[in-house]
Structures are given as structure tokens and as C-alpha cells.
Amino acid sequence: MILYINSCVRRDSRTNRIAKALLDKMGAYTELFLPTEDIHPLTAETLTKRDALLAAGQLDDPMLRYARQFAQADKIVVAAPFWDGSFPSLLKAYIENIYAVGIVTVYGADGVPQGLCKADELIYVTTAGGQFIPDFSYAYIKALAESCFGIKQTRLIKAEMLDIIGTDAEKIVAQAIKEAETIALQEVRYE
Ligand SMILES: Cc1cc2nc3c(=O)[nH]c(=O)nc-3n(C[C@H](O)[C@H](O)[C@H](O)COP(=O)(O)O)c2cc1C
């Protein structure tokens, strides 16, 4: 199963357009459109409940469904516009929700996380108004995916400088779509 995690808030999102072009070539996928999902930052109550579920090994509880889905995906595509040097907070809230120890990762005695996720790849699709800086966006997701979740490789598809006066944004997006379609065809298809 290919899991599409869509954190693109704008209705005419260019990031979503590029990601959809990629996905259309990859095959069938399940989309999680985060703005309409039941995703919220963890609170004292939800964290206490989750800790109790994990401690009791009740991993089939509905509260942990996003974590289970993430761990079981064969391939993951994340679409996230470049916001404030990072990505929309909804995506961070999603990460809080799926980062359940015992489902997506476990910690060894040395404190080092060992990933439990099945996906062989995570592809991060982004667009930026100016220059894209990966430090607190793609680099963070890549570190989580590879070091904590056990996902073998991560790749980046980006279109930048889209909001700079004088640049042909549609041309840059079209180039990114072309790149995305090429990348999709290089991949194993999961249907
Ligand atoms: C809340 C918000 C924050 C943004 N922050 C940045 C930023 O830090 N750097 C940048 O280059 N562009 C920034 N932008 C511009 C977006 O990255 C750019 O318009 C992007 O293409 C939006 O993606 P979308 O078309 O998928 O919505 C921001 C836009 C919004 C709405």
C-alpha cells in the first residue's frame, strides 16, 4: 500500500499537484488529507491515554490507527509546502500521533531507536516561495524516517522560487512534475 500524507492546506496547492502527478504514475494509493483527519496535537489527556495503551500492549486501539497505517505502508509520499522555514504544523501533529513506541519504532538498551516500519522509501514533495532550505523540513523528515522508523531511503522532489516576482512559477512546477513522473517510473509499483 502506498500512503499519501497530504499536509497541503491551500485549495490550489502546487505541492499537492506535483505529488499527485507522482502518485498517478506509482499506482493505487491511500490518501490522508490531514486538514480533514482527526489529527490534533497531543494533550495531557491524550498522551496519558496513549501511554497506557502502549504500556498494556493494546496496539489495536483506534487511537493508534494512524501509527499502524504508517508502519504498514510499503511506500510513503509526504506533500508539505515550505512554511516558516519548515512545514505546516499539521504535519508535526501527525508525526506526534504516529510516533508510537512499539509500533513505528522501539528503543534498544543503548537508547538508539530501531525502526519497525515496512516502507522501503519515503518521498518528500515540497514547494517554496523563495529558496528551499531543507534543515528543518526535509532533513528532519529524512532523519526521522531513516534513523527512527527504519525506512531505507528518502528522496526529495522540490519546486522553489515560486513566489518571486519575475519567475515563471508554472514552468518551474511543470519541470518538477516531469521530474516526479520520472522518479515514479524508476520505482517498484505497489498495487
Ligand atoms: C504560512 C506560510 C508560510 C510560508 N513560509 C515560507 C518560507 O518560510 N519561505 C519561503 O520561501 N516561502 C514561504 N511561503 C511560501 C510557500 O512556500 C509557497 O507559496 C509554496 O509554493 C506554497 O505551496 P502550495 O502552493 O502547495 O500551497 C509560505 C507560505 C505560507 C502560506
Side-chain angles (χ1 to χ4, degrees), residues 112-145:
V112 176
Q114 291 164 7
L116 297 176
C117 294
K118 193 174 156 197
D120 61 358
E121 183 176 44
L122 182 150
I123 302 174
Y124 187 85
V125 182
T126 194
T127 66
Q131 192 187 355
F132 175 64
I133 301 161
D135 301 27
F136 305 111
S137 53
Y138 174 64
Y140 167 65
I141 297 290
K142 181 178 169 68
L144 278 184

mmCIF file of all heavy atoms in Angstrom, residues 112-145:
data_model
loop_
_atom_site.group_PDB
_atom_site.id
_atom_site.type_symbol
_atom_site.label_atom_id
_atom_site.label_comp_id
_atom_site.label_asym_id
_atom_site.label_seq_id
_atom_site.Cartn_x
_atom_site.Cartn_y
_atom_site.Cartn_z
ATOM 1 N N VAL A 112 19.186 3.767 21.391
ATOM 2 C CA VAL A 112 19.099 4.064 19.952
ATOM 3 C C VAL A 112 17.805 3.464 19.390
ATOM 4 O O VAL A 112 17.512 2.293 19.623
ATOM 5 C CB VAL A 112 20.330 3.480 19.203
ATOM 6 C CG1 VAL A 112 20.208 3.694 17.701
ATOM 7 C CG2 VAL A 112 21.611 4.107 19.738
ATOM 8 N N PRO A 113 17.012 4.276 18.645
ATOM 9 C CA PRO A 113 15.759 3.735 18.101
ATOM 10 C C PRO A 113 16.004 2.729 16.970
ATOM 11 O O PRO A 113 16.947 2.873 16.195
ATOM 12 C CB PRO A 113 15.031 4.978 17.573
ATOM 13 C CG PRO A 113 16.039 6.050 17.467
ATOM 14 C CD PRO A 113 17.189 5.699 18.341
ATOM 15 N N GLN A 114 15.159 1.718 16.961
ATOM 16 C CA GLN A 114 15.220 0.727 15.875
ATOM 17 C C GLN A 114 13.865 0.732 15.186
ATOM 18 O O GLN A 114 12.835 0.447 15.805
ATOM 19 C CB GLN A 114 15.506 -0.656 16.451
ATOM 20 C CG GLN A 114 16.913 -0.761 17.008
ATOM 21 C CD GLN A 114 17.125 -1.962 17.915
ATOM 22 O OE1 GLN A 114 16.246 -2.805 18.039
ATOM 23 N NE2 GLN A 114 18.264 -2.013 18.541
ATOM 24 N N GLY A 115 13.876 1.109 13.910
ATOM 25 C CA GLY A 115 12.634 1.289 13.178
ATOM 26 C C GLY A 115 11.872 -0.004 12.957
ATOM 27 O O GLY A 115 12.452 -1.058 12.753
ATOM 28 N N LEU A 116 10.545 0.108 13.002
ATOM 29 C CA LEU A 116 9.672 -1.046 12.783
ATOM 30 C C LEU A 116 8.829 -0.884 11.522
ATOM 31 O O LEU A 116 7.944 -1.703 11.269
ATOM 32 C CB LEU A 116 8.730 -1.218 13.985
ATOM 33 C CG LEU A 116 9.372 -1.513 15.335
ATOM 34 C CD1 LEU A 116 8.300 -1.549 16.431
ATOM 35 C CD2 LEU A 116 10.133 -2.835 15.302
ATOM 36 N N CYS A 117 9.068 0.176 10.761
ATOM 37 C CA CYS A 117 8.201 0.437 9.601
ATOM 38 C C CYS A 117 8.633 -0.396 8.395
ATOM 39 O O CYS A 117 9.807 -0.660 8.184
ATOM 40 C CB CYS A 117 8.232 1.919 9.239
ATOM 41 S SG CYS A 117 7.507 2.926 10.542
ATOM 42 N N LYS A 118 7.610 -0.762 7.611
ATOM 43 C CA LYS A 118 7.817 -1.660 6.478
ATOM 44 C C LYS A 118 8.287 -0.918 5.218
ATOM 45 O O LYS A 118 8.912 -1.516 4.344
ATOM 46 C CB LYS A 118 6.453 -2.308 6.206
ATOM 47 C CG LYS A 118 6.441 -3.482 5.301
ATOM 48 C CD LYS A 118 5.023 -4.053 5.282
ATOM 49 C CE LYS A 118 4.754 -4.829 4.016
ATOM 50 N NZ LYS A 118 3.308 -5.033 3.794
ATOM 51 N N ALA A 119 7.969 0.354 5.118
ATOM 52 C CA ALA A 119 8.220 1.093 3.871
ATOM 53 C C ALA A 119 9.694 1.056 3.482
ATOM 54 O O ALA A 119 10.568 1.200 4.331
ATOM 55 C CB ALA A 119 7.753 2.536 4.017
ATOM 56 N N ASP A 120 9.929 0.872 2.181
ATOM 57 C CA ASP A 120 11.313 0.899 1.709
ATOM 58 C C ASP A 120 11.723 2.313 1.292
ATOM 59 O O ASP A 120 12.896 2.584 1.075
ATOM 60 C CB ASP A 120 11.528 -0.095 0.554
ATOM 61 C CG ASP A 120 10.669 0.223 -0.659
ATOM 62 O OD1 ASP A 120 9.877 1.174 -0.610
ATOM 63 O OD2 ASP A 120 10.800 -0.492 -1.669
ATOM 64 N N GLU A 121 10.715 3.202 1.184
ATOM 65 C CA GLU A 121 11.061 4.549 0.723
ATOM 66 C C GLU A 121 10.028 5.572 1.175
ATOM 67 O O GLU A 121 8.833 5.279 1.257
ATOM 68 C CB GLU A 121 11.138 4.567 -0.803
ATOM 69 C CG GLU A 121 11.553 5.916 -1.347
ATOM 70 C CD GLU A 121 11.739 5.923 -2.850
ATOM 71 O OE1 GLU A 121 10.903 5.353 -3.569
ATOM 72 O OE2 GLU A 121 12.725 6.522 -3.295
ATOM 73 N N LEU A 122 10.525 6.775 1.459
ATOM 74 C CA LEU A 122 9.649 7.927 1.712
ATOM 75 C C LEU A 122 10.072 9.015 0.729
ATOM 76 O O LEU A 122 11.251 9.348 0.631
ATOM 77 C CB LEU A 122 9.795 8.413 3.153
ATOM 78 C CG LEU A 122 8.891 9.578 3.571
ATOM 79 C CD1 LEU A 122 8.575 9.491 5.077
ATOM 80 C CD2 LEU A 122 9.495 10.945 3.253
ATOM 81 N N ILE A 123 9.096 9.524 -0.015
ATOM 82 C CA ILE A 123 9.376 10.614 -0.958
ATOM 83 C C ILE A 123 8.713 11.881 -0.412
ATOM 84 O O ILE A 123 7.511 11.883 -0.126
ATOM 85 C CB ILE A 123 8.849 10.288 -2.373
ATOM 86 C CG1 ILE A 123 9.474 8.991 -2.896
ATOM 87 C CG2 ILE A 123 9.160 11.445 -3.337
ATOM 88 C CD1 ILE A 123 8.931 8.497 -4.224
ATOM 89 N N TYR A 124 9.507 12.927 -0.256
ATOM 90 C CA TYR A 124 9.024 14.205 0.302
ATOM 91 C C TYR A 124 8.898 15.201 -0.839
ATOM 92 O O TYR A 124 9.867 15.490 -1.542
ATOM 93 C CB TYR A 124 10.038 14.689 1.338
ATOM 94 C CG TYR A 124 9.620 15.895 2.139
ATOM 95 C CD1 TYR A 124 8.847 15.760 3.284
ATOM 96 C CD2 TYR A 124 10.024 17.184 1.760
ATOM 97 C CE1 TYR A 124 8.479 16.879 4.047
ATOM 98 C CE2 TYR A 124 9.663 18.298 2.515
ATOM 99 C CZ TYR A 124 8.893 18.131 3.654
ATOM 100 O OH TYR A 124 8.529 19.229 4.415
ATOM 101 N N VAL A 125 7.685 15.710 -1.019
ATOM 102 C CA VAL A 125 7.422 16.663 -2.101
ATOM 103 C C VAL A 125 7.149 18.023 -1.474
ATOM 104 O O VAL A 125 6.323 18.139 -0.558
ATOM 105 C CB VAL A 125 6.200 16.219 -2.941
ATOM 106 C CG1 VAL A 125 5.963 17.187 -4.093
ATOM 107 C CG2 VAL A 125 6.391 14.793 -3.460
ATOM 108 N N THR A 126 7.837 19.044 -1.966
ATOM 109 C CA THR A 126 7.639 20.379 -1.388
ATOM 110 C C THR A 126 7.745 21.464 -2.448
ATOM 111 O O THR A 126 8.326 21.240 -3.524
ATOM 112 C CB THR A 126 8.664 20.639 -0.257
ATOM 113 O OG1 THR A 126 8.248 21.781 0.488
ATOM 114 C CG2 THR A 126 10.057 20.860 -0.782
ATOM 115 N N THR A 127 7.157 22.616 -2.147
ATOM 116 C CA THR A 127 7.394 23.808 -2.957
ATOM 117 C C THR A 127 7.660 24.974 -2.004
ATOM 118 O O THR A 127 7.193 24.977 -0.869
ATOM 119 C CB THR A 127 6.190 24.175 -3.859
ATOM 120 O OG1 THR A 127 5.084 24.567 -3.054
ATOM 121 C CG2 THR A 127 5.786 23.026 -4.775
ATOM 122 N N ALA A 128 8.436 25.936 -2.503
ATOM 123 C CA ALA A 128 8.796 27.088 -1.675
ATOM 124 C C ALA A 128 8.611 28.375 -2.459
ATOM 125 O O ALA A 128 8.852 28.416 -3.669
ATOM 126 C CB ALA A 128 10.250 26.964 -1.218
ATOM 127 N N GLY A 129 8.214 29.430 -1.730
ATOM 128 C CA GLY A 129 8.061 30.738 -2.361
ATOM 129 C C GLY A 129 9.401 31.315 -2.772
ATOM 130 O O GLY A 129 9.537 31.941 -3.812
ATOM 131 N N GLY A 130 10.403 31.084 -1.934
ATOM 132 C CA GLY A 130 11.762 31.549 -2.230
ATOM 133 C C GLY A 130 12.682 30.350 -2.377
ATOM 134 O O GLY A 130 12.300 29.337 -2.969
ATOM 135 N N GLN A 131 13.860 30.460 -1.767
ATOM 136 C CA GLN A 131 14.808 29.349 -1.823
ATOM 137 C C GLN A 131 14.407 28.298 -0.779
ATOM 138 O O GLN A 131 14.092 28.650 0.364
ATOM 139 C CB GLN A 131 16.206 29.885 -1.525
ATOM 140 C CG GLN A 131 17.301 28.907 -1.819
ATOM 141 C CD GLN A 131 18.658 29.417 -1.336
ATOM 142 O OE1 GLN A 131 18.784 30.555 -0.866
ATOM 143 N NE2 GLN A 131 19.655 28.572 -1.444
ATOM 144 N N PHE A 132 14.400 27.057 -1.165
ATOM 145 C CA PHE A 132 14.056 25.989 -0.220
ATOM 146 C C PHE A 132 15.269 25.659 0.647
ATOM 147 O O PHE A 132 16.365 25.437 0.139
ATOM 148 C CB PHE A 132 13.602 24.732 -0.977
ATOM 149 C CG PHE A 132 13.348 23.560 -0.073
ATOM 150 C CD1 PHE A 132 12.337 23.615 0.874
ATOM 151 C CD2 PHE A 132 14.141 22.415 -0.141
ATOM 152 C CE1 PHE A 132 12.113 22.552 1.735
ATOM 153 C CE2 PHE A 132 13.923 21.347 0.710
ATOM 154 C CZ PHE A 132 12.905 21.421 1.648
ATOM 155 N N ILE A 133 15.055 25.617 1.959
ATOM 156 C CA ILE A 133 16.144 25.275 2.893
ATOM 157 C C ILE A 133 15.718 23.991 3.612
ATOM 158 O O ILE A 133 14.703 23.978 4.326
ATOM 159 C CB ILE A 133 16.381 26.426 3.896
ATOM 160 C CG1 ILE A 133 16.743 27.710 3.126
ATOM 161 C CG2 ILE A 133 17.488 26.069 4.885
ATOM 162 C CD1 ILE A 133 16.567 28.975 3.919
ATOM 163 N N PRO A 134 16.454 22.909 3.428
ATOM 164 C CA PRO A 134 15.982 21.615 3.945
ATOM 165 C C PRO A 134 16.150 21.390 5.444
ATOM 166 O O PRO A 134 15.529 20.482 6.002
ATOM 167 C CB PRO A 134 16.844 20.601 3.165
ATOM 168 C CG PRO A 134 18.065 21.354 2.775
ATOM 169 C CD PRO A 134 17.667 22.779 2.602
ATOM 170 N N ASP A 135 16.932 22.221 6.134
ATOM 171 C CA ASP A 135 17.338 21.931 7.522
ATOM 172 C C ASP A 135 16.210 21.496 8.459
ATOM 173 O O ASP A 135 16.321 20.511 9.168
ATOM 174 C CB ASP A 135 18.029 23.145 8.138
ATOM 175 C CG ASP A 135 19.261 23.569 7.365
ATOM 176 O OD1 ASP A 135 19.314 23.302 6.156
ATOM 177 O OD2 ASP A 135 20.159 24.174 7.959
ATOM 178 N N PHE A 136 15.126 22.266 8.491
ATOM 179 C CA PHE A 136 14.046 21.976 9.454
ATOM 180 C C PHE A 136 12.805 21.408 8.766
ATOM 181 O O PHE A 136 11.710 21.427 9.328
ATOM 182 C CB PHE A 136 13.701 23.246 10.239
ATOM 183 C CG PHE A 136 14.897 23.846 10.920
ATOM 184 C CD1 PHE A 136 15.413 25.057 10.495
ATOM 185 C CD2 PHE A 136 15.532 23.180 11.957
ATOM 186 C CE1 PHE A 136 16.540 25.599 11.097
ATOM 187 C CE2 PHE A 136 16.654 23.711 12.564
ATOM 188 C CZ PHE A 136 17.165 24.922 12.140
ATOM 189 N N SER A 137 12.993 20.916 7.566
ATOM 190 C CA SER A 137 11.859 20.350 6.825
ATOM 191 C C SER A 137 12.280 18.966 6.322
ATOM 192 O O SER A 137 12.180 17.975 7.062
ATOM 193 C CB SER A 137 11.449 21.283 5.681
ATOM 194 O OG SER A 137 12.576 21.594 4.863
ATOM 195 N N TYR A 138 12.830 18.912 5.121
ATOM 196 C CA TYR A 138 13.209 17.612 4.561
ATOM 197 C C TYR A 138 14.276 16.896 5.402
ATOM 198 O O TYR A 138 14.177 15.683 5.640
ATOM 199 C CB TYR A 138 13.695 17.789 3.121
ATOM 200 C CG TYR A 138 14.247 16.518 2.523
ATOM 201 C CD1 TYR A 138 13.426 15.416 2.332
ATOM 202 C CD2 TYR A 138 15.591 16.429 2.170
ATOM 203 C CE1 TYR A 138 13.931 14.238 1.794
ATOM 204 C CE2 TYR A 138 16.099 15.256 1.627
ATOM 205 C CZ TYR A 138 15.276 14.167 1.440
ATOM 206 O OH TYR A 138 15.777 13.013 0.922
ATOM 207 N N ALA A 139 15.278 17.627 5.869
ATOM 208 C CA ALA A 139 16.361 16.980 6.630
ATOM 209 C C ALA A 139 15.818 16.331 7.900
ATOM 210 O O ALA A 139 16.256 15.243 8.303
ATOM 211 C CB ALA A 139 17.456 17.989 6.968
ATOM 212 N N TYR A 140 14.861 16.994 8.527
ATOM 213 C CA TYR A 140 14.236 16.444 9.750
ATOM 214 C C TYR A 140 13.436 15.173 9.424
ATOM 215 O O TYR A 140 13.569 14.150 10.115
ATOM 216 C CB TYR A 140 13.340 17.527 10.360
ATOM 217 C CG TYR A 140 12.393 17.035 11.424
ATOM 218 C CD1 TYR A 140 12.852 16.516 12.639
ATOM 219 C CD2 TYR A 140 11.012 17.087 11.231
ATOM 220 C CE1 TYR A 140 11.976 16.070 13.612
ATOM 221 C CE2 TYR A 140 10.128 16.654 12.198
ATOM 222 C CZ TYR A 140 10.613 16.141 13.384
ATOM 223 O OH TYR A 140 9.747 15.697 14.339
ATOM 224 N N ILE A 141 12.640 15.246 8.364
ATOM 225 C CA ILE A 141 11.826 14.084 7.980
ATOM 226 C C ILE A 141 12.737 12.905 7.591
ATOM 227 O O ILE A 141 12.490 11.758 7.948
ATOM 228 C CB ILE A 141 10.889 14.447 6.801
ATOM 229 C CG1 ILE A 141 9.901 15.535 7.232
ATOM 230 C CG2 ILE A 141 10.161 13.217 6.251
ATOM 231 C CD1 ILE A 141 8.835 15.111 8.214
ATOM 232 N N LYS A 142 13.808 13.220 6.876
ATOM 233 C CA LYS A 142 14.759 12.176 6.454
ATOM 234 C C LYS A 142 15.407 11.512 7.674
ATOM 235 O O LYS A 142 15.528 10.291 7.742
ATOM 236 C CB LYS A 142 15.833 12.812 5.558
ATOM 237 C CG LYS A 142 16.882 11.843 5.014
ATOM 238 C CD LYS A 142 17.849 12.616 4.109
ATOM 239 C CE LYS A 142 19.063 11.776 3.748
ATOM 240 N NZ LYS A 142 18.751 10.642 2.880
ATOM 241 N N ALA A 143 15.801 12.330 8.645
ATOM 242 C CA ALA A 143 16.426 11.791 9.857
ATOM 243 C C ALA A 143 15.446 10.885 10.606
ATOM 244 O O ALA A 143 15.809 9.789 11.054
ATOM 245 C CB ALA A 143 16.901 12.930 10.757
ATOM 246 N N LEU A 144 14.212 11.335 10.738
ATOM 247 C CA LEU A 144 13.202 10.507 11.422
ATOM 248 C C LEU A 144 12.989 9.195 10.672
ATOM 249 O O LEU A 144 12.979 8.105 11.269
ATOM 250 C CB LEU A 144 11.851 11.233 11.466
ATOM 251 C CG LEU A 144 11.579 12.262 12.532
ATOM 252 C CD1 LEU A 144 10.139 12.747 12.413
ATOM 253 C CD2 LEU A 144 11.815 11.696 13.927
ATOM 254 N N ALA A 145 12.780 9.326 9.359
ATOM 255 C CA ALA A 145 12.443 8.147 8.543
ATOM 256 C C ALA A 145 13.549 7.101 8.623
ATOM 257 O O ALA A 145 13.278 5.916 8.873
ATOM 258 C CB ALA A 145 12.195 8.563 7.093
#
